[in-house]
Amino acid sequence: MFSEFKIQLKKALQNPLPGKEVQFKMAPYYSKVKEKFKNRTEKPKTACVLVLIYPVNNIPHLVLMKRPSHTGHHSDQVSFPGGKHENTDKSLEFTALREAREELNINPDKVNIVGTLSSLFIAPSNFEVFPFIGISDEKPHFIKNKIEVNEIIEIDLPYILSDDVIKEKMMLLPAGFNFNIPYFDIQNEVVWGATAMILYELRELIKTSISIDSKSLPFP
């Protein structure tokens, strides 16, 4: 049940995270990409995302969103709600909640931030991303910002625990190289890059720290 899952998740987040070594299993950037960006000297910009977990029929769910087509690094990509940390933001947590409200109408007063996942660096856009895990006791009333969001994607957590959703395909990366990249196949969308890395760490946290066998699965 969702209430039991919340308790187990909060306990799991008090222990060491699976970490970057786990994230890198879904990383698309290899030697040629690293070579292209190795001489970059500017300080990374900061971004924050919200990994929101909420119940639907007592089953924990996540929300992702597909960004519109444009000329930027993240055109047409699936991501968590989030964005750039502004100087006026009082904290990184505030940034994640502010962006989630702006993009998907998620009320920050209904979200309890229970922990974080490992930060990760995105070389092409020069961002350090900080993922915050939030819990809502009810499904938010999502309304997409039509300028920033093309589609809202809701998935149940048991779905990402299956090995069948992790696949590989050849893609042309923004850095200009073709690579066979790992990705999550979610509702026929290719979820890759930073979002896949965050999802994979969350997946490993649940699989290693929360009881998931058929008899004690904390959701039906």
Side-chain angles (χ1 to χ4, degrees):
M1 296 299 177
F2 188 72
S3 57
E4 181 183 346
F5 174 80
K6 287 195 304 178
I7 293 170
Q8 292 192 43
L9 179 61
K10 290 176 182 178
K11 288 181 179 179
L13 288 167
Q14 294 174 4
N15 299 321
L17 294 170
K20 296 183 184 297
E21 182 177 350
V22 166
Q23 285 183 346
F24 287 160
K25 292 181 180 179
M26 297 297 289
Y29 305 119
Y30 298 98
S31 57
K32 287 185 179 180
V33 179
K34 291 178 181 178
E35 182 71 18
K36 179 172 180 177
F37 295 104
K38 73 176 183 179
N39 294 322
R40 176 178 274 166
T41 57
E42 64 265 35
K43 182 180 178 181
K45 296 166 284 185
T46 298
C48 304
V49 299
L50 179 64
V51 181
L52 182 66
I53 301 174
Y54 56 92
V56 176
N57 297 325
N58 237 349
I59 301 173
H61 277 61
L62 287 171
V63 65
L64 300 170
M65 59 188 211
K66 187 173 183 179
R67 296 195 178 274
S69 299
H70 54 71
T71 57
H73 285 293
H74 306 296
S75 175
D76 273 331
Q77 290 186 19
V78 176
S79 69
F80 289 100
K84 183 180 178 182
H85 175 72
E86 303 292 348
N87 291 334
T88 52
D89 291 343
K90 56 187 178 183
S91 67
L92 298 183
E93 177 181 317
F94 179 89
T95 301
L97 292 170
R98 173 182 58 75
E99 287 283 344
R101 183 169 202 164
E102 291 174 3
E103 293 173 334
L104 295 181
N105 191 48
I106 295 171
N107 184 350
D109 294 334
K110 300 288 187 177
V111 178
N112 178 25
I113 300 295
V114 294
T116 63
L117 294 172
S118 303
S119 65
L120 62 159
F121 176 63
I122 306 175
S125 56
N126 196 36
F127 268 99
E128 184 82 13
V129 179
F130 294 84
F132 288 85
I133 297 181
I135 291 179
S136 173
D137 287 328
E138 59 187 37
K139 178 182 175 178
H141 177 56
F142 297 120
I143 301 175
K144 65 182 180 182
N145 181 323
K146 294 181 180 180
I147 297 175
E148 300 188 60
V149 181
N150 190 49
E151 183 180 352
I152 297 172
I153 301 171
E154 296 184 71
I155 55 173
D156 60 81
L157 269 183
Y159 182 82
I160 69 167
L161 301 181
S162 169
D163 291 335
D164 294 338
V165 301
I166 298 177
K167 302 178 181 180
E168 291 187 354
K169 71 177 295 184
M170 189 65 67
M171 283 186 64
L172 176 64
L173 301 183
F177 303 107
N178 281 298
F179 280 119
N180 195 35
I181 67 150
Y183 70 96
F184 281 86
D185 184 352
I186 296 177
Q187 298 180 19
N188 295 318
E189 296 287 351
V190 176
V191 181
W192 66 287
T195 304
M197 294 168 71
I198 294 168
L199 267 180
Y200 197 80
E201 186 179 22
L202 177 64
R203 177 183 188 267
E204 290 304 297
L205 178 71
I206 292 171
K207 292 183 73 171
T208 58
S209 302
I210 297 177
S211 180
I212 59 168
D213 64 77
S214 59
K215 293 182 179 179
S216 57
L217 191 70
F219 30 79

